[in-house]
Amino acid sequence: MQHQRPKIVDVARLAGVSTATVSRVLSNPEIVSAETRRLVEEAIRQTGYRLNQAARNLRIRRTGGVVALVPNLSNPFFSQILAGMAAVLAPVGYNLLVADTRAEGGRSILTYAEPSRADGLIVLDGTLPAEGLTGRLPLVLACEWIPGIAAPRVKIDNREAAMMAVDHLIGLGHRRVAHVAGPRRNVLSEARLAGAERALAAHGLPAPIVLPGDFSLESGRRAGAAWLALPPAERPTAVFLASDAMACGFIGEVQHHGVMVPRDVSVMGFDDIELVSHMTPALSTIRQPREALGRKAAQRLLDRIEGDDRDEDTILPVELVLRASTAPPGS
Amino acid sequence: MQHQRPKIVDVARLAGVSTATVSRVLSNPEIVSAETRRLVEEAIRQTGYRLNQAARNLRIRRTGGVVALVPNLSNPFFSQILAGMAAVLAPVGYNLLVADTRAEGGRSILTYAEPSRADGLIVLDGTLPAEGLTGRLPLVLACEWIPGIAAPRVKIDNREAAMMAVDHLIGLGHRRVAHVAGPRRNVLSEARLAGAERALAAHGLPAPIVLPGDFSLESGRRAGAAWLALPPAERPTAVFLASDAMACGFIGEVQHHGVMVPRDVSVMGFDDIELVSHMTPALSTIRQPREALGRKAAQRLLDRIEGDDRDEDTILPVELVLRASTAPPGS
DNA sequence: CGGAGTTATGTAATCGATTGCAAGAGGGGG
DNA sequence: CCCCCTCTTGCAATCGATTACATAACTCCG
């Protein structure tokens, strides 16, 4: 009665060879003679043998896993990035472990940054503390980044992208534009705000009215309420929001109060999440190459794991996507 | 020059105790005398020792990981369920590994179902083949399920929920209602369609016009196009869609063609994803308790891992959420 | 026919923890 | 003073694979 999981010695015994040979068939088949290989493979089939990963990991000192730390799993923006990562990691034998840095039931995020838990780490949350992250595991920062940490970054040029967005609004004739920012002390928020300010300044226009936000739908709705609260004459005729989610919230809120987009206010988002092309009006926005960001980040991590320790950044291009939510003021 | 990672024997040596004692301090502190414990803890601090998970896993035969198999990571519907799972798993020391069953770069999904890779498996994709899944790992099915597989299911009553939705439309006075279904051969699609049919039949109304869909935004848009293609007199005055994503696509498409919701057509979704309460009009829908679904599934899995092998289902209650997208016909 | 070179396989150490068993120390009761 | 019991701690086997090194068999060539 052999109720246990068969192990490598069971296979070896059945095939009449040593465990070393079975192991070779498993991980380096070509160095085993064809006949022996056949024998071993047959024995594997008969016993229903399955490799024990924990044992292998212990021996070869790798875990086969890569951890991605995202600030918010429920944000669809990240899912596609993760899909891009998985697409390059899976074929070379890595599992992608996803952890939400916000929603952690007590255990420190840093337990994920253990060399014995994972072979590499991709961080998508710029607000994590630098200490503890650095010097442990091959590391890549994607989208957001942590100031002062030395690791390859894969990102877009956020300032430039924000300038493109605001330039577009200015080009349509808008003179008073508001910016709904992302969370405070977030590198993305700061870069996008800086870009918006710079574009306006470059055209000799006043600095934007800045409304607070945190990338979430609900904060976009609040920004909409804030906009509505302004005396109509003072309302900016265009609003550039640091995320599409906020743009959705904003549009929803002002539309509920009878405001027409883009007639009464032009709205520009950021990210180009799938949904916004289906809204009414379809949202003008900045497209981030999410899948590509994920792929590239994963590739850089694989490089790092292989020992490549250059720290250079990768900047991916964005695209201005013009749809129906922006138009000349009062049109 | 000790450049290696310290291991348990290094700590033991420094503290002047055996490795057994160090191990006890790590996993069972109370059986070690206070003085020795202090010594060992000090040595751990000095050496910067960190436990090697692979070694522990090998020895105690657990991996500390739980795998969730989702059909589509980019669907925000799932993220919140995953967050619920992580919230119960993390505190008891389990990592949540997320894998997308569609976007897999070659490697079989079943490699995840290895006892040596994970301690348990939560499947959210009802289209996976039953063979291979069963009999390997403690298993729980959530939301969707695989017919003929014996495992606890955590889900809602989809047929009942669909009936609630359609009853509501009928109550508003609609007589011709369409249903945009989910993917073929999907248990959810079938249950929701059955519910819609049943509700109509119960009121002596004709069976719904069924438009094909696959839960995606884009398929909702196509359904919108199909609805528009009907002669106005034959158009159903209400549409019940099997997912909110499709409802967004549907509304976007018909609005682009000048159709007013709910004046010209009432729209009812399913899921209550965060976004739909912010749309214009805000969507009436069926709320699934996503977070709770995730928590419950994780709890059932923990039970299973502990050896509880009851297979009973857990049915969580849904909620009819009435917003602005449904109204009496022609209002 | 002997020795070098090549190929296939086996032996045994190793990865870094956990834990059953045994033994030593100290306390209490008879 | 001896025996038994409890509390700590150490010894050494163990988890299940990988792989450096040794060895055996075979080929090839002068």
Side-chain angles (χ1 to χ4, degrees):
Chain A
M1 267 324 147
Q2 178 76 359
H3 269 307
Q4 306 307 312
R5 252 185 138 219
K7 14 196 245 184
I8 207 168
V9 337
D10 300 316
V11 175
R13 194 149 31 217
L14 182 61
V17 300
S18 74
T19 62
T21 300
V22 177
S23 174
R24 289 186 189 110
V25 170
L26 257 29
S27 45
N28 222 348
E30 57 278 7
I31 70 169
V32 173
S33 76
E35 173 56 9
T36 312
R37 184 161 57 208
R38 212 192 44 69
L39 235 52
V40 171
E41 279 161 354
E42 178 55 25
I44 290 179
R45 198 162 312 114
Q46 280 194 27
T47 52
Y49 169 76
R50 321 251 59 193
L51 178 63
N52 180 316
Q53 292 290 339
R56 162 179 276 178
N57 288 347
L58 173 58
R59 183 62 230 233
I60 68 182
R61 297 143 153 280
R62 76 160 230 176
T63 70
V66 163
V67 173
L69 260 27
V70 304
N72 176 8
L73 246 186
S74 2
N75 187 335
F77 174 73
F78 289 109
S79 350
Q80 224 166 330
I81 297 183
L82 295 175
M85 293 179 188
V88 352
L89 294 174
V92 295
Y94 283 104
N95 292 135
L96 184 64
L97 251 115
V98 182
D100 189 318
T101 57
R102 305 276 195 269
E104 268 310 300
R107 76 157 48 184
S108 158
I109 281 302
L110 292 180
T111 59
Y112 286 109
E114 286 295 327
S116 62
R117 284 199 111 74
D119 300 324
L121 191 60
I122 303 181
V123 174
L124 294 104
D125 182 344
T127 62
L128 256 30
E131 60 274 14
L133 238 40
T134 174
R136 286 163 162 252
L137 228 52
L139 174 67
V140 169
L141 305 173
C143 300
E144 305 192 13
W145 62 94
I146 303 171
I149 217 172
R153 303 197 254 252
V154 177
K155 57 190 193 87
I156 59 165
D157 186 333
N158 284 277
R159 208 177 58 130
E160 182 66 28
M163 287 179 62
M164 284 169 61
V166 173
D167 279 344
H168 163 63
L169 295 172
I170 296 172
L172 288 172
H174 294 279
R175 293 291 167 264
R176 274 199 320 282
V177 352
H179 176 59
V180 181
R184 306 205 147 278
R185 346 180 107 274
N186 173 301
V187 285
L188 302 183
S189 311
E190 286 165 9
R192 291 175 194 173
L193 171 59
E197 285 170 340
R198 188 139 199 276
L200 289 167
H203 290 267
L205 296 172
I209 298 184
V210 177
L211 300 172
D214 59 12
F215 291 149
S216 75
L217 261 168
E218 173 56 24
S219 74
R221 194 198 56 70
R222 282 194 302 268
W227 184 89
L228 287 166
L230 294 172
E234 291 176 24
R235 287 177 182 161
T237 58
V239 181
F240 165 50
L241 300 101
S243 80
D244 278 358
M246 292 196 295
C248 292
F250 183 95
I251 293 180
E253 179 70 7
V254 301
Q255 281 181 338
H256 286 165
H257 291 80
V259 169
M260 299 275 285
V261 177
R263 194 196 63 186
D264 303 325
V265 59
S266 281
V267 177
M268 180 95 208
F270 202 113
D271 288 345
D272 195 30
I273 58 178
E274 190 193 2
L275 187 116
V276 297
S277 66
H278 293 271
M279 304 194 331
T280 311
L283 189 70
S284 293
T285 190
I286 297 286
R287 172 175 306 155
Q288 293 208 50
R290 294 202 294 286
E291 164 99 15
L293 277 166
R295 287 178 171 277
K296 193 70 196 177
Q299 268 149 14
R300 295 294 288 123
L301 184 65
L302 291 178
D303 294 346
R304 281 241 133 178
I305 292 176
E306 309 273 276
D308 171 353
D309 48 359
R310 289 167 304 152
D311 275 348
E312 67 207 15
D313 292 359
T314 306
I315 311 273
L316 295 178
V318 298
E319 194 183 333
L320 182 64
V321 179
L322 299 182
R323 290 197 274 245
S325 67
T326 49
S331 65
Chain B
M1 271 320 147
Q2 177 77 357
H3 268 307
Q4 305 307 311
R5 255 186 133 217
K7 16 196 240 183
I8 206 168
V9 339
D10 301 316
V11 175
R13 193 149 33 219
L14 181 62
V17 300
S18 73
T19 62
T21 300
V22 177
S23 173
R24 290 186 188 110
V25 170
L26 258 26
S27 44
N28 221 348
E30 56 280 6
I31 70 168
V32 174
S33 77
E35 172 58 9
T36 312
R37 184 161 57 209
R38 213 191 45 67
L39 236 52
V40 171
E41 278 161 355
E42 177 56 24
I44 290 179
R45 198 164 311 113
Q46 280 194 27
T47 51
Y49 169 76
R50 323 249 58 193
L51 179 62
N52 180 316
Q53 292 291 340
R56 162 178 273 179
N57 289 347
L58 173 58
R59 183 60 230 229
I60 69 182
R61 296 140 154 284
R62 73 160 231 176
T63 70
V66 164
V67 173
L69 260 27
V70 304
N72 177 9
L73 246 185
S74 359
N75 187 335
F77 174 73
F78 290 109
S79 353
Q80 225 166 332
I81 297 182
L82 295 175
M85 293 179 188
V88 352
L89 294 174
V92 295
Y94 283 103
N95 293 134
L96 183 64
L97 252 115
V98 182
D100 189 318
T101 57
R102 305 277 195 267
E104 269 308 303
R107 79 156 46 185
S108 159
I109 282 301
L110 292 181
T111 59
Y112 288 108
E114 286 295 328
S116 62
R117 283 198 111 77
D119 299 325
L121 191 60
I122 303 182
V123 174
L124 294 103
D125 182 343
T127 63
L128 256 30
E131 60 273 15
L133 238 41
T134 174
R136 286 163 163 252
L137 229 52
L139 173 67
V140 169
L141 306 173
C143 299
E144 304 193 12
W145 63 93
I146 303 171
I149 220 172
R153 304 196 254 252
V154 177
K155 57 189 193 87
I156 59 165
D157 186 333
N158 284 277
R159 209 176 57 129
E160 181 66 29
M163 288 178 61
M164 284 170 61
V166 173
D167 279 344
H168 162 63
L169 295 172
I170 296 172
L172 289 171
H174 293 279
R175 293 293 168 261
R176 275 199 320 280
V177 352
H179 176 58
V180 181
R184 305 207 148 276
R185 348 180 105 273
N186 173 301
V187 285
L188 303 183
S189 311
E190 286 165 9
R192 292 175 192 171
L193 170 58
E197 285 170 340
R198 189 138 197 277
L200 289 167
H203 291 266
L205 295 172
I209 298 184
V210 178
L211 299 172
D214 59 12
F215 291 149
S216 75
L217 262 169
E218 173 55 24
S219 74
R221 195 199 55 70
R222 282 196 300 269
W227 183 88
L228 287 166
L230 293 173
E234 291 176 24
R235 287 177 182 161
T237 58
V239 181
F240 165 49
L241 299 100
S243 80
D244 278 359
M246 292 196 295
C248 292
F250 183 95
I251 293 180
E253 178 71 6
V254 301
Q255 282 181 336
H256 286 166
H257 290 80
V259 169
M260 300 275 286
V261 177
R263 194 197 62 187
D264 303 326
V265 59
S266 282
V267 177
M268 181 96 211
F270 203 113
D271 287 346
D272 195 31
I273 58 178
E274 190 192 1
L275 185 115
V276 298
S277 65
H278 294 270
M279 304 194 330
T280 312
L283 189 70
S284 294
T285 190
I286 296 287
R287 173 175 304 154
Q288 295 207 48
R290 294 202 294 286
E291 164 98 15
L293 277 166
R295 287 178 172 278
K296 194 69 196 176
Q299 269 149 12
R300 294 295 286 121
L301 184 66
L302 291 178
D303 294 346
R304 280 241 135 180
I305 291 176
E306 309 274 279
D308 171 351
D309 49 357
R310 288 168 303 150
D311 277 347
E312 67 207 16
D313 293 359
T314 306
I315 312 274
L316 295 178
V318 297
E319 194 182 334
L320 182 63
V321 179
L322 299 182
R323 290 197 273 245
S325 68
T326 48
S331 66

